[in-house]
Amino acid sequence: MGLIPTFRSTSGLKNPERWLKDWFGGGSVSESGVQVDSESIMSESAVWCAINFIASNIAGLPCPVMKITGRQKEKAREHPLFKILNTQANDEMISMVYRETMLYHLLLWGVHYSIQVRDRLNRIVALWPVHPDNVRIDRIGKKLVYYVTMSGGTEKPYSRNEILHIPALSPNGLFGNSMLEYSKDSIGLMLAMRSFANLFFANGSNMGVIFEHPGQLGEVAHANLTKSLATAMAGLGKSHKAFVAEEGMKVNTVGTNPADSQLIEGRSFQISDVARWFNLPPHILKELSRSTNNNIEHQGIEVVKYSFRVWIIRIEQSLEAWCLSEAEKKDHIIRHNVEGLLRGDSAARAEYYKTQFNTASITPNEIRELEDRNPIEEGWADEPYIMINMMPLSQAGQMNAVESVNNEPVNNTETNQRSIEHRDINTTIAGRKRVQARFSPLIKEAAQKLVNRETNAIKRESKKQGSERSAADMKTWLNNFYLDFPKFIDNDLAPILRAYAESIQEAVAGEIGTDTTTSDELQVEINNYIEGFKTQYVSSSQKQMLSQLEIGLEEIDKRADEWQEKKAGKVESSERSGLANMVASFVFASAGLSSVWRTIGVSCPFCQRMNGKKVSGFGVPFLEKDTIIDVGGDHPPMKVRTTKYPPLHRGCDCVISAR
């Protein structure tokens, strides 16, 4: 960079080193007479432990830049600040070291400054921390000017938008209160007590003494006596040796012993005092005299809530205010991920959410919002639930009506017969429906991750074309991209689909009372289904993008935006139904039963034509390729593909049952 104001390469009156400050009596002198500065205070173990604990733990947290689109939040990895805050802050500092330095300044000096280095597009490409002692702030008119003392001793001015300025607790909002200055008397006492203890052991006595001689010693005799006392008793290893008083000498004690002066208790109290200055529980500083195994875990949670949170919010808001552009502030946020620090309290959070959820006091999406997770874009996820087979609250009132129908005598009329058949199929597949409800948000979330990966890559490449906007290059890139895309399906979606299929198999086996173990043959069919899905997904997506490319490169971005909004929901709806019915068909055939097409809920005229159709054997199609279904009226005929199991078309809510 060429300018590194953090380091001091020369010692002078403007940038003094420790020896020069000590020579002229630099730093602040406490009431105990001890000089207190940044180096002496850090030599105290309790202070070092407190600063290192806060700085290293907060600096070690992930601090992603998040982009908000509606109710969705995703990590903006392409944003320059993402790398600065999570990988490398500048040419000489990784992100953790940079953020530790930031917190070191905030904790001791009550303020932090960083120089923002920007490229020609005005994007921040590096942050360089500046020692608070090297910054002088002036106000010219209504604008702040920061004068930074460089390594050569010269001052360089910076404007407000070139400096990241984070003040701590402050009377004016600009210059944070320096903990060094405010705590000098308290920390100075601690340093004084440490010096006293060191001198106490160095002198090798338990108390100060005066040796009284009955006569008058000559100069030589006095020197010899003083030398012999020092040789015999001074030093840590000689403090308890016996001393023989000769020539009628008397030994008179003066001062107080360590117990009377409460040296040990005072040192322990000072650790608690340091803990108060840094708003930490004493056990963090290894002072465990009043801690138990029961309360330490709870105190650990309080550290995050009451000690870390204020620093985290201060840093997040400052980064958003001074490092994001006005346009980015509308849809970007910067958030530390403290989940790891709170993990010890997950059981308590889970129990709280469970109680709230089971009493219809909170919805699934409200829980996800509290956990800083993306919402489930399904209507049921915004509804409260109660413990009646975990159904939406809006449907709970219908239970009495359904039960009263179940208890009525069955008539032989056609209407009642259809009602019984409809009610029986819903009762039969209740287990399947519960599995689908449990896996639906998981499939949707995995599909959204897959779609985001796909569309973000396409939009990045489209943007990369720049002014050239080469359609030929984009076509080549698309073909190569989709050639490798199946591996992303294997990573993001396939594991969820396999787990879903195995759970459906257990539910269907329970319907007909057969073995609930997933056989090797079914595993093969599940893999074949997923391979077919991968082929269809890649082929359809590739064809759509190449078709849009023929219209123009700008159409690529439009289609990608449409996919981000809707595609995951379509994938979830289609595969949730199709995979479940494939598995059901296999289980029925393995048990020697036929599969019967059933429509449930509100169905279209085409699906109604399929209701009651029966096939025998797995893989036998309900409809052959190019079969035309004509329902008459205003509906044009539908030509269908080979259909071995529902759905007949996207959105079809049909199932198969056994007969």
Side-chain angles (χ1 to χ4, degrees):
M1 179 179 175
L3 52 91
I4 310 178
T6 304
F7 306 110
R8 302 174 180 181
S9 58
T10 61
S11 179
L13 295 180
K14 188 177 284 284
N15 294 311
E17 290 184 359
R18 176 66 185 268
W19 67 268
L20 188 58
K21 290 193 295 183
D22 290 345
W23 182 271
F24 287 101
S28 298
V29 178
S30 66
E31 292 178 348
S32 60
V34 176
Q35 180 178 302
V36 179
D37 57 25
S38 60
E39 295 185 35
S40 64
I41 197 173
M42 287 295 286
S43 68
E44 178 55 49
S45 63
V47 177
W48 172 276
C49 183
I51 293 178
N52 182 62
F53 178 81
I54 297 175
S56 61
N57 277 285
I58 295 180
L61 292 174
C63 187
V65 181
M66 309 290 291
K67 184 175 182 180
I68 303 175
T69 305
R71 297 174 65 185
Q72 298 286 337
K73 293 189 289 288
E74 62 177 331
K75 294 179 179 178
R77 296 183 180 274
E78 73 284 354
H79 197 285
L81 271 178
F82 192 98
K83 175 186 175 183
I84 292 173
L85 297 177
N86 295 277
T87 307
Q88 185 176 358
N90 54 57
D91 292 341
E92 299 180 359
M93 291 183 177
I94 61 173
S95 300
M96 181 168 180
V97 172
Y98 165 73
R99 288 197 278 154
E100 279 181 325
T101 305
M102 173 194 295
L103 283 154
Y104 173 65
H105 293 165
L106 285 168
L107 290 166
L108 281 186
W109 284 269
V111 68
H112 170 75
Y113 307 98
S114 283
I115 296 175
Q116 303 177 17
V117 181
R118 297 178 179 265
D119 61 13
R120 294 181 179 179
L121 298 178
N122 201 37
R123 298 174 302 185
I124 297 178
V125 294
L127 288 173
W128 288 86
V130 183
H131 197 286
D133 289 346
N134 287 353
V135 180
R136 177 173 62 87
I137 303 179
D138 196 5
R139 188 181 295 275
I140 301 178
K142 295 183 179 180
K143 296 183 178 180
L144 294 176
V145 178
Y146 296 79
Y147 293 93
V148 179
T149 302
M150 314 309 291
S151 56
T154 60
E155 284 189 339
K156 182 176 180 179
Y158 288 88
S159 62
R160 182 66 184 88
N161 59 3
E162 295 176 308
I163 293 289
L164 171 61
H165 175 193
I166 309 177
L169 184 64
S170 168
N172 56 16
L174 286 178
F175 308 101
N177 289 330
S178 171
M179 204 279 286
L180 275 171
E181 184 63 29
Y182 280 88
S183 67
K184 67 178 181 180
D185 293 329
S186 176
I187 305 298
L189 177 59
M190 178 178 248
L191 297 174
M193 294 178 70
R194 185 184 67 186
S195 297
F196 174 82
N198 289 334
L199 290 173
F200 168 75
F201 287 108
N203 289 333
S205 298
N206 286 335
M207 61 194 75
V209 295
I210 295 177
F211 295 93
E212 181 182 351
H213 196 279
Q216 183 174 0
L217 294 175
E219 183 176 349
V220 176
H222 185 278
N224 289 337
L225 178 60
T226 302
K227 182 178 179 180
S228 65
L229 287 173
T231 302
M233 302 190 65
L236 187 59
K238 306 172 184 178
S239 58
H240 297 288
K241 285 187 175 181
F243 173 73
V244 179
E246 300 180 276
E247 300 179 1
M249 283 195 304
K250 296 180 180 179
V251 180
N252 301 313
T253 62
V254 295
T256 56
N257 60 36
D260 292 337
S261 61
Q262 296 183 331
L263 178 62
I264 304 302
E265 292 84 352
R267 290 286 288 169
S268 178
F269 168 79
Q270 289 301 317
I271 295 176
S272 299
D273 205 30
V274 171
R276 276 192 293 272
W277 278 108
F278 290 97
N279 195 26
L280 292 171
H283 80 270
I284 294 295
L285 306 185
K286 319 307 179 190
E287 211 297 285
L288 304 177
S289 60
R290 297 185 180 180
S291 296
T292 66
N293 291 333
N294 292 329
N295 66 12
I296 282 183
E297 180 179 356
H298 183 69
Q299 289 175 342
I301 303 301
E302 289 184 343
V303 168
V304 178
K305 292 181 179 179
Y306 306 123
S307 300
F308 288 176
R309 185 171 177 269
V310 291
W311 297 112
I312 287 173
I313 293 176
R314 193 185 307 277
I315 293 170
E316 289 172 349
Q317 292 184 356
S318 297
L319 289 168
E320 291 177 6
W322 309 120
C323 296
L324 296 179
S325 67
E326 291 302 320
E328 290 173 335
K329 291 176 186 177
K330 297 178 181 179
D331 57 4
H332 285 76
I333 59 174
I334 299 172
R335 292 291 182 270
H336 290 79
N337 184 1
V338 298
E339 173 63 23
L341 296 176
L342 291 173
R343 192 168 298 157
D345 204 39
S346 294
R349 294 203 323 278
E351 185 62 30
Y352 169 77
Y353 291 147
K354 180 180 178 181
T355 302
Q356 293 287 301
F357 180 74
N358 290 343
T359 56
S361 301
I362 197 169
T363 68
N365 271 343
E366 287 172 338
I367 295 175
R368 296 179 68 86
E369 184 176 356
L370 290 172
E371 290 292 295
D372 201 25
R373 297 180 181 178
N374 290 328
I376 299 169
E377 296 297 339
E378 298 288 343
W380 62 265
D382 288 306
E383 293 191 60
Y385 287 72
I386 57 175
M387 292 296 291
I388 305 180
N389 293 328
M390 299 306 290
M391 65 172 56
L393 185 62
S394 59
Q395 297 180 11
Q398 303 174 14
M399 284 296 294
N400 290 335
V402 173
E403 291 176 356
S404 64
V405 171
N406 288 338
N407 294 328
E408 288 178 1
V410 177
N411 297 324
N412 292 325
T413 64
E414 182 180 353
T415 301
N416 283 337
Q417 191 65 37
R418 286 199 302 268
S419 176
I420 293 170
E421 179 179 315
H422 175 74
R423 187 165 63 251
D424 285 345
I425 185 60
N426 278 284
T427 302
T428 300
I429 66 170
R432 267 188 268 176
K433 287 296 184 182
R434 285 193 290 270
V435 172
Q436 289 179 320
R438 189 169 73 250
F439 274 88
S440 177
L442 301 177
I443 298 173
K444 175 72 176 295
E445 188 172 352
Q448 188 65 58
K449 180 181 179 181
L450 182 69
V451 172
N452 289 344
R453 187 193 297 273
E454 176 184 15
T455 54
N456 288 337
I458 291 173
K459 288 195 288 187
R460 278 197 303 269
E461 183 62 26
S462 176
K463 184 178 180 181
K464 186 178 177 182
Q465 296 293 333
S467 58
E468 297 179 4
R469 307 293 285 179
S470 172
D473 291 344
M474 190 67 190
K475 181 177 180 180
T476 300
W477 183 89
L478 282 170
N479 288 331
N480 292 332
F481 174 74
Y482 279 110
L483 189 64
D484 294 334
F485 195 76
K487 66 183 181 183
F488 298 123
I489 299 178
D490 287 332
N491 292 333
D492 295 341
L493 187 57
I496 298 296
L497 294 180
R498 288 192 178 91
Y500 171 61
E502 292 173 3
S503 297
I504 285 290
Q505 186 272 338
E506 293 181 4
V508 174
E511 295 173 13
I512 60 176
T514 189
D515 185 14
T516 59
T517 304
T518 304
S519 65
D520 293 339
E521 293 81 2
L522 178 56
Q523 289 286 4
V524 171
E525 295 302 329
I526 293 172
N527 290 335
N528 290 339
Y529 181 97
I530 293 175
E531 288 299 318
F533 165 77
K534 288 160 57 177
T535 301
Q536 186 274 333
Y537 185 101
V538 170
S539 175
S540 175
S541 299
Q542 187 175 7
K543 287 179 181 178
Q544 289 186 59
M545 278 299 171
L546 292 176
S547 176
Q548 296 300 109
L549 186 59
E550 293 178 358
I551 302 174
L553 264 171
E554 62 279 358
E555 297 299 318
I556 292 279
D557 294 339
K558 292 181 181 179
R559 181 54 57 90
D561 290 336
E562 292 176 4
W563 282 359
Q564 279 190 319
E565 183 179 352
K566 300 178 181 179
K567 192 173 184 179
K570 294 178 179 179
V571 169
E572 183 275 330
S573 174
S574 176
E575 304 315 311
R576 171 173 48 84
S577 176
L579 184 53
N581 286 310
M582 184 280 289
V583 172
S585 176
F586 181 91
V587 174
F588 296 152
S590 299
L593 302 174
S594 300
S595 296
V596 181
W597 191 297
R598 296 294 189 192
T599 59
I600 57 176
V602 178
S603 59
C604 69
F606 297 101
C607 291
Q608 291 174 6
R609 290 284 296 272
M610 297 297 298
N611 190 34
K613 269 185 163 292
K614 180 177 71 172
V615 296
S616 299
F618 177 72
V620 178
F622 282 90
L623 294 172
E624 299 289 350
K625 183 180 179 182
D626 296 332
T627 298
I628 297 176
I629 303 178
D630 188 358
V631 297
D634 298 332
H635 302 282
M638 175 190 289
K639 181 185 287 189
V640 300
R641 56 176 172 77
T642 300
T643 306
K644 297 179 181 180
Y645 39 78
L648 180 62
H649 52 83
R650 182 175 289 118
C652 168
D653 194 14
C654 300
V655 298
I656 56 175
S657 62
R659 174 174 289 183

